[in-house]
Amino acid sequence: MSANEIPTDRSTPARPDVQQSAFLRACRREPVPHTPVWFMRQAGRSLPEYRKVREGIAMLDSCMQPDLVTEITLQPVRRHHVDAAIFFSDIVVPLKAIGIDLDIKPGVGPVIERPIRSRADLDRLRELTPEDVPYVTEAIGLLTAELGATPLIGFAGAPFTLASYLVEGGPSRNHEHTKALMYGDPQLWADLLDRLAAITSAFLKVQIEAGASAVQLFDSWVGALAPVDYRRSVLPASRKVFASVAGYGVPRIHFGVGTGELLHDLGEAGADVVGVDWRVPLDEAARRVGPGKALQGNLDPAVLFAGAEAVAAKTGEVLEAARGLEGHVFNLGHGVLPDTDPDALTRLVADVHERTAR
Ligand code: 1CP
C-alpha cells in the first residue's frame, strides 16, 4: 500500500477498556468522568528515574531498544497517573531509519551532517517501511500489554517541522534556509514536503497498526509562518498525513507552538483535536478553530516553577476557559521543561482530576 492511500478495514482490534478511557472519550467529544491529563515530553526530561536508565546510552540508541522504550514510556504513567502514555521516541527517528546522517546532540537537539537543500538531496529521502523500524513495532507490542486501560499515543513530526531540521541542519531560531527554499523554489519545497508527508504517514501507520490508540502530529515550529504561507506551502502536505490515517478511526491530534494566528488553518488540515499553546485562552481558541473539534492544552509549562498556589490558580483559569468546549484534553502549552519538579506534575494531574470529577 502506498503511503497516501486510506486504509479502510485494517485498524488494530480495539481494546474496549481503552476505548472507554477518559482520554479517548474527550478526543471523540463524548462525556467524560473527569478531564483527562497528559503532558507533552512527560517521558524523559524531568524524571530522575529517566536519567538513571538513560545513563551512558545515546538518545537515538535508546529509541531503538524496545525494553528501554517501554520502561521510559511507562515511568510517567506510574508516577503521575496521567490518562495517556506517549511513546518514547523522537520526531527524527524515521529520518534516521531511512539513512539520513543525523544525530541528537545532548543540549542541542537533532543535527544533520549534510542539510537537504537541492533537488539531488531529495533522493536521500526514500520511503519508510515497517521493516525500517522493527523496534517501534516491538516496543508498542510490549507497551500495550503493560498499559492496561491506559491509551498509548503515537506521534510523528509534521512535514514543515521535519523540513526545518533537514534544511537548516539543526535547531534554528529564524528558519532562514527553510524559508529561503520555501519562497525561492516552491516546486522543490512542495516535493520535499510531499516526501516528508509520505514518511510521516508511514511512521504513524506503523504505530497505529502496532497498537497506538491515538496519534499526535508535532508541527512545533510552524508558528514561524504567516497564515497565507501556511495555507499555500504547508497545509497540503499536513492534510495528506491526516487523510492517510483517517481510516483507522483513531483520534488525530495536531500541535504547534505560537500558532494563535494559524489555529483555524491547523484545524483545516484534518485533525480531530487541536493542540493550543498558552498564548491563546481555550475559549478564544475554540472560536478560532470552529466547531467539531476537541482542544488540547494549555497551561504555560513555566507556571510549574511558581509554587503550588500559583499553579492551582493558573490551572483554574485553564479549566474555566475550557468549560464550554466540546472536548478538552488537559496538557501543557508545550513540553515539560527539563528542570520541572516532578512532584508539581503529579499534583497537577490529581488537581485537574479532582476539580473536574463528574
Ligand atoms: O539526550 C536526551 O535526553 C535528549 C532529549 C530528548 C528527548 C527526551 C530529545 C532530543 N527528544 C526526546 C524525546 C522526545 N522528543 C519525545 C518523547 C516522548 C515525550 O513526549 O515524552 C517526543 C514526543 C519528542 C518530539 C520532538 N522532538 C519534538 C516535538 C515536541 C516539541 O517539544 O516541540 C521536537 C521539536 C523534537 C526535536 C528535538 N529532539 C530533542 C530535542 C532537544 C529537540 C528540540 C531541539 C530544538 O529546540 O529544536
Side-chain angles (χ1 to χ4, degrees):
M1 185 174 69
S2 91
N4 290 330
E5 231 167 273
I6 298 177
T8 45
D9 56 358
R10 302 184 61 196
S11 59
T12 315
R15 294 174 289 149
D17 43 350
V18 174
Q19 289 308 315
Q20 290 313 314
S21 63
F23 169 72
L24 289 180
R25 291 184 65 90
C27 291
R28 296 191 302 250
R29 294 172 285 124
E30 296 167 4
V32 286
H34 59 261
T35 298
V37 188
W38 72 280
F39 303 120
M40 292 182 278
R41 302 301 203 95
Q42 67 189 16
R45 287 281 173 113
S46 70
L47 297 185
E49 59 268 38
Y50 166 73
R51 296 201 188 105
K52 186 144 182 263
V53 296
R54 271 284 319 280
E55 248 168 50
I57 306 174
M59 176 61 197
L60 280 172
D61 292 341
S62 70
C63 296
M64 295 169 191
Q65 298 182 20
D67 287 336
L68 191 55
V69 168
T70 302
E71 167 59 21
I72 296 172
T73 302
L74 291 172
Q75 284 176 347
V77 181
R78 285 191 207 116
R79 189 193 258 260
H80 304 310
H81 308 293
V82 281
D83 292 274
I86 179 149
F87 186 61
F88 182 78
S89 186
D90 193 83
I91 59 169
V92 297
V93 163
L95 302 176
K96 181 78 180 177
I98 59 163
I100 298 294
D101 49 351
L102 65 79
D103 196 10
I104 294 182
K105 297 241 154 79
V108 178
V111 177
I112 291 102
E113 195 108 332
R114 291 179 301 147
I116 298 227
R117 294 184 187 164
S118 70
R119 186 149 294 276
D121 291 334
L122 271 197
D123 294 339
R124 287 151 56 201
L125 287 173
R126 66 163 173 84
E127 284 203 14
L128 179 96
T129 69
E131 292 72 40
D132 292 316
V133 286
Y135 41 86
V136 170
T137 302
E138 190 183 338
I140 292 181
L142 295 171
L143 273 165
T144 49
E146 292 274 335
L147 275 166
T150 305
L152 176 68
I153 304 169
F155 74 92
F160 176 82
T161 290
L162 290 179
S164 95
Y165 286 108
L166 288 173
V167 177
E168 301 295 334
S172 163
R173 180 186 290 264
N174 298 315
H175 309 282
E176 55 267 56
H177 296 291
T178 312
K179 290 184 177 180
L181 183 61
M182 187 179 93
Y183 295 123
D185 193 341
Q187 192 55 56
L188 177 57
W189 172 259
D191 293 346
L192 169 62
L193 259 64
D194 266 357
R195 290 215 180 196
L196 292 171
I199 292 165
T200 286
S201 294
F203 192 55
L204 291 177
K205 285 176 189 177
V206 168
Q207 295 174 71
I208 297 169
E209 294 196 1
S213 303
V215 287
Q216 175 154 323
L217 191 68
F218 281 99
D219 211 348
S220 301
W221 312 136
V222 78
L225 295 180
V228 64
D229 294 317
Y230 176 77
R231 285 194 294 271
R232 184 188 297 137
S233 306
V234 174
L235 178 61
S238 293
R239 189 178 267 150
K240 280 180 193 163
V241 174
F242 285 118
S244 78
V245 293
Y248 290 104
V250 304
R252 299 157 298 164
I253 311 169
H254 199 177
F255 171 77
V257 183
T259 55
E261 300 300 327
L262 298 179
L263 283 171
H264 182 75
D265 298 314
L266 283 185
E268 293 288 294
D272 307 291
V273 184
V274 176
V276 183
D277 82 2
W278 63 91
R279 293 171 179 89
V280 181
L282 289 173
D283 48 354
E284 172 58 21
R287 279 189 285 280
R288 296 185 189 183
V289 170
K293 299 200 188 279
L295 296 187
Q296 176 174 282
N298 71 346
L299 187 72
D300 183 343
V303 163
L304 289 160
F305 290 73
E309 232 171 88
V311 176
K314 295 300 286 180
T315 302
E317 283 176 24
V318 172
L319 293 175
E320 186 55 39
R323 242 171 220 284
L325 299 186
E326 295 180 49
H328 178 217
V329 175
F330 191 98
N331 206 313
L332 303 179
H334 195 187
V336 173
L337 296 166
D339 293 330
T340 304
D341 173 7
D343 292 341
L345 292 169
T346 308
R347 277 197 302 272
L348 177 54
V349 176
D351 188 33
V352 173
H353 284 170
E354 208 176 288
R355 289 206 222 186
T356 59
R358 284 157 203 140

